Amino acid sequence: MTLKPVILSGMQPTGQLHLGNYEGALKNWVSLQDNYRMFLCIVDWHALTSDFNDTAPMQERIFQTAVDYLAAGLDPDKCSIFIQSEIKEHAELHLLLSMIVPIPWLERVPAYKEKAEALDLDSYGFLGYPLLQAADILIYKADAVPVGKDQVPHIELTREVARRFNSLYGKVFPEPEALLTQFPAIPGTDGRKMSKSYGNDIRLADTEEETTKKIKKMVTDPKKIYKGDPGRPEICPVYALHQVYSTNSEEIRIGCSTGALGCVDCKMQLAASLNAALRPLREKRKELVNNKKYVINILKKGADEARQVAGATMDEVRRAMHLMREDV
Ligand code: TRP
C-alpha cells in the first residue's frame, strides 16, 4: 500500500519537446517524483481530437516524447510513464462518464469554444476532450494534477464530474487538485509564446549548431538598431531566455540598456549558456534515441503498472454502477 499522494499528468505526443515544455512541465515533474506516486501519460487519443487526418507520424512522435521525458530526468523506477491508448480502461471510463456529464458542462469549457473556432473543429471527440482528460485523472484516483494555468478549467470539470459520479453511485473518486507551479515564461524566437505550431521553438533535440542558428534569428527590441543604441531588455525575448539560462543576466541587462552590449554579442552569449545548460540532457537524449528497445520497455513497464491501478478502479466503478454480476 503506497502512502504517497497520487499525481497524474500528461502531455500530447507532439514529437520533439521544446524549452517551453521543459520549463513548464518536465522540470516540475522531475522535482515531484520523489514525493508522489506519479503516473505520466502520453495522451495519444487526445492528439486525435485535433490531428485525426494524418496519423502516420504518431508512433515516432510518441517515441520522441518518451525520450524527452527520460532525458529530462524522469526516473522509470520512481514513476510510471505510459501511453494512454495502451490502457483501454481510460476509454471505458470516458464512455461511462459521458452518460452523466451534461453537454453544457463541456460547451462552457473556455478552451472548447476558442479552439473549435480557431481550428474549425466540430467532432464529438473534440467536445469530449476534457472528459477524456477527467477519465485519465480519475482512473488513478489522483490527488493532484500538476498543470499550467490554462488547464485549470479542465481540472474543475474533473472535480465536478467526480462529485456527480460519487453522488449518483457512491464514493469512488477523490476530487483532484490542480498543482500550479511558478515557472518562467519561455518566449519563442519571435517573441510570442513558444509553440511547435508557431514554428518559433527551440527543442531539446536540437543540436548546438541548430540552437545557435535559431538564437541568431531571434527578434530583439526593434528600437535597438545599432550596437550603441540602448535597448529595452524587459521586452526582449533574448533577455527573457538569459534570465533563465545565464548566470550573468544582470550584466546582460545593464549592457543592453546602456547600449554597451550589441544584439549579436548578446545572442552569442545566450547560445553559449543555453547550450551549456542543455548539454547533459542532450547527451542522454542521444543515447536514448539509439536505444529504442530500452525506451519501449520502459513504456511497457509503465503500462503494466498503470493498468493494475486503472483495472482496480474500473472494477470499483462497474460494481458501483451495477455493471458487474455479483458472485453467486
Ligand atoms: N490537456 C492537457 C494539455 O493540453 C493534456 C492532458 C490530457 C492532461 N490528459 C491529461 C494533463 C491529464 C493532465 C492530466 O496539456
Side-chain angles (χ1 to χ4, degrees):
M1 207 49 198
T2 161
L3 292 173
K4 287 181 183 173
V6 175
I7 275 185
L8 176 121
S9 199
M11 237 188 242
Q12 289 193 28
T14 50
Q16 297 175 343
L17 301 181
H18 55 62
L19 293 182
N21 304 128
Y22 179 56
E23 298 296 336
L26 290 182
K27 253 192 183 171
N28 186 31
W29 294 355
V30 171
S31 76
L32 295 167
Q33 64 183 343
D34 287 320
N35 297 322
Y36 290 88
R37 172 75 185 93
M38 281 187 96
F39 294 93
L40 299 171
C41 186
I42 299 175
V43 293
D44 52 348
W45 282 335
H46 276 103
L48 296 177
T49 59
S50 46
D51 283 340
F52 55 82
N53 47 4
D54 182 15
T55 56
M58 184 70 94
Q59 290 310 311
E60 180 59 19
R61 287 183 182 167
I62 290 172
F63 175 70
Q64 293 291 332
T65 304
V67 164
D68 280 326
Y69 279 18
L70 296 170
L74 287 170
D75 179 347
D77 291 329
K78 294 180 184 164
C79 51
S80 303
I81 302 170
F82 63 99
I83 303 166
Q84 182 187 40
S85 68
E86 289 189 2
I87 314 296
K88 311 299 180 204
E89 286 84 351
H90 290 223
E92 184 182 358
L93 184 57
H94 176 234
L95 174 88
L96 295 175
L97 297 179
S98 79
M99 306 301 170
I100 68 167
V101 69
I103 290 174
W105 287 16
L106 298 173
E107 287 172 331
R108 70 169 188 238
V109 170
Y112 172 67
K113 273 214 174 66
E114 286 161 29
K115 260 184 114 183
E117 278 166 28
L119 303 176
D120 201 21
L121 293 170
D122 56 7
S123 73
Y124 175 56
F126 181 65
L127 177 64
Y129 182 113
L131 193 64
L132 180 57
Q133 180 166 353
D136 297 340
I137 296 167
L138 295 176
I139 208 161
Y140 300 98
K141 299 190 176 181
D143 299 293
V145 189
V147 282
K149 267 209 302 286
D150 63 310
Q151 293 292 309
V152 169
H154 292 176
I155 310 305
E156 273 305 310
L157 176 84
T158 303
R159 295 165 61 88
E160 282 174 280
V161 169
R163 227 173 288 144
R164 185 162 178 128
F165 184 99
N166 291 343
S167 74
L168 285 165
Y169 309 114
K171 182 156 179 359
V172 172
F173 299 117
E175 289 180 34
E177 308 274 352
L179 203 63
L180 289 173
T181 35
Q182 291 300 339
F183 50 85
I186 303 293
T189 52
D190 60 359
R192 291 188 290 172
K193 181 183 153 111
M194 187 174 284
S195 159
K196 185 188 180 198
S197 54
Y198 292 161
N200 65 359
D201 59 336
I202 297 173
R203 298 180 186 190
L204 300 177
D206 285 343
T207 63
E208 299 199 357
E209 294 70 35
E210 285 165 332
T211 304
T212 305
K213 220 162 131 188
K214 287 180 178 180
I215 291 175
K216 278 187 184 163
K217 285 196 200 137
M218 280 182 78
V219 303
T220 53
D221 179 359
K223 286 199 177 152
K224 183 167 163 64
I225 297 165
Y226 301 107
K227 176 172 184 263
D229 295 345
R232 294 169 295 172
E234 64 287 354
I235 65 151
C236 179
V238 177
Y239 177 66
L241 294 183
H242 269 298
Q243 285 182 289
V244 183
Y245 296 105
S246 302
T247 47
N248 66 337
S249 66
E250 185 52 17
E251 214 174 283
I252 300 282
R253 191 184 65 76
I254 295 167
C256 174
S257 10
T258 58
L261 178 66
C263 293
V264 176
D265 188 6
C266 176
K267 286 175 171 179
M268 292 315 288
Q269 291 195 44
L270 174 63
S273 46
L274 178 55
N275 282 330
L278 293 181
R279 205 161 289 141
L281 185 157
R282 283 172 164 165
E283 269 159 27
K284 192 159 163 201
R285 196 182 194 293
K286 249 189 240 157
E287 275 171 39
L288 290 161
V289 167
N290 291 324
N291 210 341
K292 201 158 184 172
K293 264 237 167 77
Y294 171 77
V295 175
I296 288 170
N297 280 333
I298 287 172
L299 293 172
K300 279 191 187 154
K301 172 176 119 48
D304 288 341
E305 293 159 355
R307 199 174 292 114
Q308 275 205 4
V309 178
T313 304
M314 284 317 294
D315 277 345
E316 267 184 78
V317 166
R318 294 180 203 116
R319 194 166 289 126
M321 295 180 75
H322 304 282
L323 293 168
M324 199 149 96
R325 200 173 24 250
E326 292 305 330
D327 282 342
V328 282

